[in-house]
Amino acid sequence: ITSWEYGYWWLEWGGELDTIKDNRRIRHELLRIVLGVWDYIKNSGDFPESANWALEWVGMIPGKRESRRIIGDHILIQQELERAEPFPDRVAYGGWPMDDHPPGGIDRRDLEPCRQVIFDRPYHIPLRSLYSKNRTNLLMAGRNISASHVAFSSTRVMATCSVMGQAVGAAAAFCIQKKLTPRELASNTSRMREFQQLLLKQDQALIGIRNEDPDDLARQARVTASAETPDGAAVSIIDGWNRNIEDGQSHQWRAPLAKGPQWIQLEWSSPQRIREVLITFDSGLNRKLFLTGVDREYFQQIRGPQPETVADYTIEAKMGGAWHRVASVKDNFLRLRKHNFQDLRTTNIRITVHRTNGDGLARIFQVRCYA
């Protein structure tokens, strides 16, 4: 090790005990361990640079990687993650490596502190792993889902927990609205497809499932633009894909801003009643953005608005043969923007990109319109 800013996550202990009943014992031993490591750093003579180091803070509550998990109708396992099993009831995805730590922790100095198995592609998470097998109205998301120990070593990370949280929150509302239990939703093919389309509308990424929402009027429109790049055709905004992780294609409209603002337009053969317009921008998913204690990783990350995200844009509607501005946004940093209107009757919707947060291309993944 040549860098010390990475932290001390490897000071683990207690994995062979009951992390609930033995919590006090584990907490005391972990405190002994961290203070022993600090004593060695300061007093062994092996780290002369530590002369100016000070111990600023030590957590007094053990950070639990793993504790209780609830059994659902499906227990997610290692092999399903490795082959990216395309569950028909998939509602979220993950991609963090399977990251297994020895139960003995720091006592097993003969073992590496962790073993990581990296995936070739993201994997799917089924709804059946997010509700209880024997409690009809209990949903779970996070570190308590129905998964094996090894599969859990990937699903446990916060970004994956958050997308499961979105799926579970939406499922709870959907089940109440449709008078279904979670099990009934997961087993009903038509209802499951309807729910997946709702998740897509809410910008949940579901790999291999495209927008087929019959209420999305944009899918019926003719798309034109002021300009487009060879890999960013205007028609991409209605191709049904809201991210570029499907097949290596961009699945977004791209136009150079070097010569000024660029616009993209939806046109219908007859006037449409538009009450909601949803725009999905590029938020730089290809770039690392995560919590880390490693300076070399931290300083290359872009904190705040991502360059690819559109910052300033306007929306116009054509009414009575003339264009009328109906929305104007500055300093945007969000991926999904929703615009609601009282009762817009129009044959054309035009979105003009004036500025991004740094990138030279106007980029839009998807536009949806609803009555």
Side-chain angles (χ1 to χ4, degrees), residues 48-59:
E49 67 273 24
S50 71
N52 296 320
W53 291 5
L55 185 61
E56 182 179 67
W57 178 85
V58 174

PDB file of all heavy atoms in Angstrom, residues 48-59:
ATOM      1  N   PRO A  48       7.032   7.495   9.331  1.00  0.00           N
ATOM      2  CA  PRO A  48       7.525   8.800   9.811  1.00  0.00           C
ATOM      3  C   PRO A  48       6.626   9.963   9.379  1.00  0.00           C
ATOM      4  O   PRO A  48       6.573  10.984  10.059  1.00  0.00           O
ATOM      5  CB  PRO A  48       8.912   8.908   9.172  1.00  0.00           C
ATOM      6  CG  PRO A  48       8.911   7.922   8.046  1.00  0.00           C
ATOM      7  CD  PRO A  48       8.020   6.821   8.479  1.00  0.00           C
ATOM      8  N   GLU A  49       5.899   9.798   8.247  1.00  0.00           N
ATOM      9  CA  GLU A  49       5.019  10.879   7.794  1.00  0.00           C
ATOM     10  C   GLU A  49       3.846  11.105   8.750  1.00  0.00           C
ATOM     11  O   GLU A  49       3.163  12.136   8.688  1.00  0.00           O
ATOM     12  CB  GLU A  49       4.485  10.587   6.391  1.00  0.00           C
ATOM     13  CG  GLU A  49       3.535   9.412   6.273  1.00  0.00           C
ATOM     14  CD  GLU A  49       4.229   8.069   6.061  1.00  0.00           C
ATOM     15  OE1 GLU A  49       5.408   7.932   6.433  1.00  0.00           O
ATOM     16  OE2 GLU A  49       3.589   7.165   5.507  1.00  0.00           O
ATOM     17  N   SER A  50       3.585  10.151   9.666  1.00  0.00           N
ATOM     18  CA  SER A  50       2.455  10.283  10.577  1.00  0.00           C
ATOM     19  C   SER A  50       2.735  11.230  11.742  1.00  0.00           C
ATOM     20  O   SER A  50       1.845  11.457  12.572  1.00  0.00           O
ATOM     21  CB  SER A  50       2.070   8.907  11.139  1.00  0.00           C
ATOM     22  OG  SER A  50       3.059   8.443  12.052  1.00  0.00           O
ATOM     23  N   ALA A  51       3.941  11.807  11.806  1.00  0.00           N
ATOM     24  CA  ALA A  51       4.264  12.720  12.905  1.00  0.00           C
ATOM     25  C   ALA A  51       3.285  13.881  12.988  1.00  0.00           C
ATOM     26  O   ALA A  51       2.988  14.382  14.085  1.00  0.00           O
ATOM     27  CB  ALA A  51       5.693  13.249  12.743  1.00  0.00           C
ATOM     28  N   ASN A  52       2.760  14.303  11.837  1.00  0.00           N
ATOM     29  CA  ASN A  52       1.816  15.425  11.802  1.00  0.00           C
ATOM     30  C   ASN A  52       0.368  14.975  11.619  1.00  0.00           C
ATOM     31  O   ASN A  52      -0.502  15.777  11.324  1.00  0.00           O
ATOM     32  CB  ASN A  52       2.199  16.394  10.676  1.00  0.00           C
ATOM     33  CG  ASN A  52       3.545  17.039  10.915  1.00  0.00           C
ATOM     34  OD1 ASN A  52       3.867  17.408  12.040  1.00  0.00           O
ATOM     35  ND2 ASN A  52       4.346  17.152   9.862  1.00  0.00           N
ATOM     36  N   TRP A  53       0.134  13.701  11.789  1.00  0.00           N
ATOM     37  CA  TRP A  53      -1.232  13.192  11.676  1.00  0.00           C
ATOM     38  C   TRP A  53      -1.925  13.251  13.035  1.00  0.00           C
ATOM     39  O   TRP A  53      -1.294  13.115  14.085  1.00  0.00           O
ATOM     40  CB  TRP A  53      -1.241  11.735  11.198  1.00  0.00           C
ATOM     41  CG  TRP A  53      -0.803  11.560   9.774  1.00  0.00           C
ATOM     42  CD1 TRP A  53      -0.333  12.519   8.924  1.00  0.00           C
ATOM     43  CD2 TRP A  53      -0.777  10.335   9.049  1.00  0.00           C
ATOM     44  NE1 TRP A  53      -0.022  11.972   7.713  1.00  0.00           N
ATOM     45  CE2 TRP A  53      -0.284  10.618   7.752  1.00  0.00           C
ATOM     46  CE3 TRP A  53      -1.117   9.026   9.349  1.00  0.00           C
ATOM     47  CZ2 TRP A  53      -0.132   9.652   6.774  1.00  0.00           C
ATOM     48  CZ3 TRP A  53      -0.969   8.051   8.377  1.00  0.00           C
ATOM     49  CH2 TRP A  53      -0.481   8.366   7.097  1.00  0.00           C
ATOM     50  N   ALA A  54      -3.226  13.440  13.013  1.00  0.00           N
ATOM     51  CA  ALA A  54      -4.027  13.424  14.236  1.00  0.00           C
ATOM     52  C   ALA A  54      -5.277  12.585  14.002  1.00  0.00           C
ATOM     53  O   ALA A  54      -5.796  12.527  12.892  1.00  0.00           O
ATOM     54  CB  ALA A  54      -4.425  14.846  14.647  1.00  0.00           C
ATOM     55  N   LEU A  55      -5.735  11.907  15.040  1.00  0.00           N
ATOM     56  CA  LEU A  55      -6.972  11.122  14.961  1.00  0.00           C
ATOM     57  C   LEU A  55      -8.139  12.066  15.226  1.00  0.00           C
ATOM     58  O   LEU A  55      -8.307  12.583  16.327  1.00  0.00           O
ATOM     59  CB  LEU A  55      -6.959   9.995  15.990  1.00  0.00           C
ATOM     60  CG  LEU A  55      -8.138   9.025  15.952  1.00  0.00           C
ATOM     61  CD1 LEU A  55      -8.206   8.298  14.621  1.00  0.00           C
ATOM     62  CD2 LEU A  55      -8.038   8.021  17.096  1.00  0.00           C
ATOM     63  N   GLU A  56      -8.921  12.323  14.203  1.00  0.00           N
ATOM     64  CA  GLU A  56      -9.976  13.327  14.302  1.00  0.00           C
ATOM     65  C   GLU A  56     -11.300  12.745  14.785  1.00  0.00           C
ATOM     66  O   GLU A  56     -12.001  13.361  15.582  1.00  0.00           O
ATOM     67  CB  GLU A  56     -10.182  13.976  12.932  1.00  0.00           C
ATOM     68  CG  GLU A  56     -11.230  15.072  12.913  1.00  0.00           C
ATOM     69  CD  GLU A  56     -11.378  15.696  11.541  1.00  0.00           C
ATOM     70  OE1 GLU A  56     -11.834  14.990  10.620  1.00  0.00           O
ATOM     71  OE2 GLU A  56     -11.024  16.872  11.394  1.00  0.00           O
ATOM     72  N   TRP A  57     -11.651  11.551  14.305  1.00  0.00           N
ATOM     73  CA  TRP A  57     -12.988  11.017  14.599  1.00  0.00           C
ATOM     74  C   TRP A  57     -13.002   9.514  14.408  1.00  0.00           C
ATOM     75  O   TRP A  57     -12.361   8.987  13.502  1.00  0.00           O
ATOM     76  CB  TRP A  57     -14.008  11.675  13.666  1.00  0.00           C
ATOM     77  CG  TRP A  57     -15.420  11.203  13.823  1.00  0.00           C
ATOM     78  CD1 TRP A  57     -16.346  11.646  14.714  1.00  0.00           C
ATOM     79  CD2 TRP A  57     -16.072  10.166  13.064  1.00  0.00           C
ATOM     80  NE1 TRP A  57     -17.527  10.974  14.556  1.00  0.00           N
ATOM     81  CE2 TRP A  57     -17.395  10.060  13.551  1.00  0.00           C
ATOM     82  CE3 TRP A  57     -15.669   9.332  12.011  1.00  0.00           C
ATOM     83  CZ2 TRP A  57     -18.314   9.151  13.041  1.00  0.00           C
ATOM     84  CZ3 TRP A  57     -16.581   8.423  11.499  1.00  0.00           C
ATOM     85  CH2 TRP A  57     -17.895   8.348  12.005  1.00  0.00           C
ATOM     86  N   VAL A  58     -13.703   8.814  15.281  1.00  0.00           N
ATOM     87  CA  VAL A  58     -13.934   7.375  15.143  1.00  0.00           C
ATOM     88  C   VAL A  58     -15.416   7.118  15.386  1.00  0.00           C
ATOM     89  O   VAL A  58     -15.975   7.590  16.388  1.00  0.00           O
ATOM     90  CB  VAL A  58     -13.090   6.559  16.148  1.00  0.00           C
ATOM     91  CG1 VAL A  58     -13.471   5.081  16.067  1.00  0.00           C
ATOM     92  CG2 VAL A  58     -11.613   6.717  15.862  1.00  0.00           C
ATOM     93  N   GLY A  59     -16.053   6.405  14.482  1.00  0.00           N
ATOM     94  CA  GLY A  59     -17.462   6.077  14.665  1.00  0.00           C
ATOM     95  C   GLY A  59     -17.672   5.171  15.860  1.00  0.00           C
ATOM     96  O   GLY A  59     -16.889   4.257  16.107  1.00  0.00           O
TER      97      GLY A  59
END
